[in-house]
Structure formats: C-alpha cells, structure tokens
C-alpha cells in the first residue's frame, strides 16, 4: 500500500500529514483519502500529534477563532468534544489542549498574532489542498451579520474596559502603598521653625 506524506510550512508552524489513498473511493496514487497520522510543530512548543479526531477539533477552534478575530471579535471557542480551547490572553491567545488519555495534564500554548496567523494558514492550506480527499468535521462558514459583529465587539470592549480599570486601580494602589510618609519629621521641622520665629521677634 502506498504511504504518502505532505507538509505545510509557515514561519512558526509546520504541519505534516501522512496517509494513503482510499482505493474503495477511487483515489489516485497521490491522493490521501485515509489519514494515518499528523504532526504539528509550533516554535517554542512541544510537538503535537494524534488521530484525525484530534485534528478535526483543532481545526474547528482555530478556524472559527481566527475568523472572528479578523472581524474584531475576541471570544473563547471550544471544540465539540472539548479537546481544544482557544481564548484571548491579553494581547495574545491561549491555546489549551486536553489529552484523551488519562493522567495527562492539559497542554497550554501562548500564541501571538503572527503565530496564530501561521497556524491558521497551515490548516487552511490543508483543507483546500486537492491532494486530500478527506471530509473534515468542521462547521461550514457563513458570513457574520452586522448585528452579530456589533454585539460581540461591544461586549469585548466592555470586558476590556473592566480589565483595564482593574489593572489601573491595582497599579495605583500599589504605588500609594510604597510612597514613604514621614509625619514625625514634618512635625519636628515645623516646631523648629516656630521656635526660630519666636526668637527673632524677641
């Protein structure tokens, strides 16, 4: 049986897919119809790998999140089986991966805008590549309505305003705590000045 492997490279991400043609489906010799494994490398993060189900969950979240982010909407997305979660993290993005194996702790990866863009690009190249005859379990994209965009953007701004106000309050409070006060010195100084003035009057 022919074993095929294709790779999609971007600056910070590299996605490699391995599989074989599905003869029963009439696939050609250079077409992957049955996925056997996949490997994702993100600079500064552990190598990710798994089955088709895991890749489906990753694609669900990354593509939905990126599409919303481009529209100015910052919100959390969770895959159907709750294996993958992507949420805003300050000016960055926090990718949380839950293993289906027992006893394995969730993996957390922080992505900046360029890394998120590279990862999204790899997944887009994969799903539109004619060398693959695989049905991906992802939602069909539909244009966002103006009402949906305005509602979500306003909610995002409210959350950001609250966070910034809280940060500003904490910083101000911290500065006030560390400002030195020396009331004894001021009282002593004022008494000395009063005494010198009384001496001059006499």
């Amino acid at each position: 049986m022919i074993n095929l492997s294709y790779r999609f490279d971007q600056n910070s991400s590299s996605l490699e897919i391995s599989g074989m043609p599905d003869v029963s489906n009439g696939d050609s010799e250079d077409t992957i119809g049955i996925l056997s494994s996949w490997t994702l490398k993100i600079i500064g993060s552990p190598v990710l790998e798994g089955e088709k189900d895991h890749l489906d969950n990753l694609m669900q979240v990354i593509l939905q999140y990126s599409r919303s982010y481009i529209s100015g909407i910052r919100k959390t997305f969770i895959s159907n089986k709750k294996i993958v979660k992507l949420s805003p993290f300050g000016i960055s993005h926090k990718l949380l991966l839950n293993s289906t194996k027992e006893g394995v702790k969730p993996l957390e990866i922080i992505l900046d805008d360029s890394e998120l863009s590279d990862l999204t690009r790899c997944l887009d190249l994969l799903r539109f590549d004619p060398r693959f005859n695989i049905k991906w379990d992802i939602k069909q994209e539909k244009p966002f309505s103006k009402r949906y965009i305005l509602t979500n953007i306003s909610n995002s701004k409210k959350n950001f305003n609250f966070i910034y106000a809280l940060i500003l309050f904490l910083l101000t409070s911290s500065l006030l705590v560390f400002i030195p006060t020396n009331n004894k010195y001021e009282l002593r100084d004022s008494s000395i000045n009063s005494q010198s003035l009384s001496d001059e009057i006499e």
Side-chain angles (χ1 to χ4, degrees):
M1 184 66 68
I2 300 174
N3 188 28
L4 303 171
S5 181
Y6 298 118
R7 194 170 68 183
F8 305 93
D9 293 321
Q10 294 297 307
N11 292 330
S12 62
S13 299
S14 178
L15 176 63
E16 186 172 358
I17 308 292
S18 299
M20 60 192 70
D22 187 355
V23 180
S24 62
N25 200 27
D27 292 339
S28 61
E29 293 184 352
D30 59 348
T31 300
I32 292 181
I34 301 174
L35 180 67
S36 57
S37 66
W38 62 271
T39 302
L40 175 62
K41 298 177 182 177
I42 302 175
I43 292 179
S45 303
V47 176
L48 305 177
E49 56 186 11
E51 301 174 357
K52 179 182 180 297
D53 192 33
H54 301 125
L55 185 56
D56 280 332
N57 279 258
L58 184 65
M59 293 176 72
Q60 288 170 14
V61 169
I62 297 295
L63 297 177
Q64 289 181 55
Y65 183 94
S66 297
R67 185 162 168 262
S68 296
Y69 185 57
I70 291 173
S71 300
I73 302 171
R74 291 174 61 87
K75 60 184 295 186
T76 298
F77 284 89
I78 304 174
S79 64
N80 294 338
K81 295 188 177 181
K82 299 181 179 181
I83 297 176
V84 182
K85 177 181 178 182
L86 185 56
S87 55
F89 187 71
I91 60 173
S92 301
H93 320 276
K94 181 164 65 175
L95 179 63
L96 187 66
L97 305 170
N98 295 306
S99 176
T100 53
K101 298 179 180 179
E102 295 183 1
V104 179
K105 294 182 179 180
L107 176 62
E108 186 178 289
I109 300 175
I110 305 300
L111 304 170
D112 60 23
D113 285 349
S114 61
E115 290 168 339
L116 176 63
S117 176
D118 289 341
L119 180 55
T120 304
R121 180 62 176 161
C122 284
L123 296 175
D124 264 336
L125 290 172
L126 168 62
R127 66 173 177 155
F128 292 121
D129 195 314
R131 296 174 298 179
F132 291 84
N133 188 20
I134 297 176
K135 185 178 180 181
W136 304 108
D137 185 16
I138 55 178
K139 294 181 179 179
Q140 184 177 1
E141 295 179 348
K142 296 180 180 179
F144 291 140
S145 65
K146 291 183 178 179
R147 183 178 181 182
Y148 175 82
I149 294 175
L150 292 174
T151 301
N152 283 276
I153 288 178
S154 61
N155 289 336
S156 298
K157 287 183 177 179
K158 288 179 182 179
N159 293 335
F160 269 116
N161 290 337
F162 174 75
I163 293 173
Y164 288 144
L166 181 61
I167 293 174
L168 184 61
F169 172 76
L170 292 175
L171 287 175
T172 306
S173 301
S174 300
L175 288 174
L176 291 175
V177 168
F178 289 107
I179 292 177
T181 56
N182 198 341
N183 295 330
K184 291 183 179 180
Y185 175 79
E186 292 177 0
L187 289 172
R188 187 180 303 168
D189 186 58
S190 61
S191 62
I192 293 173
N193 291 336
S194 299
Q195 185 178 357
S196 62
L197 286 173
S198 60
D199 291 342
E200 289 180 1
I201 293 172
E202 292 177 358

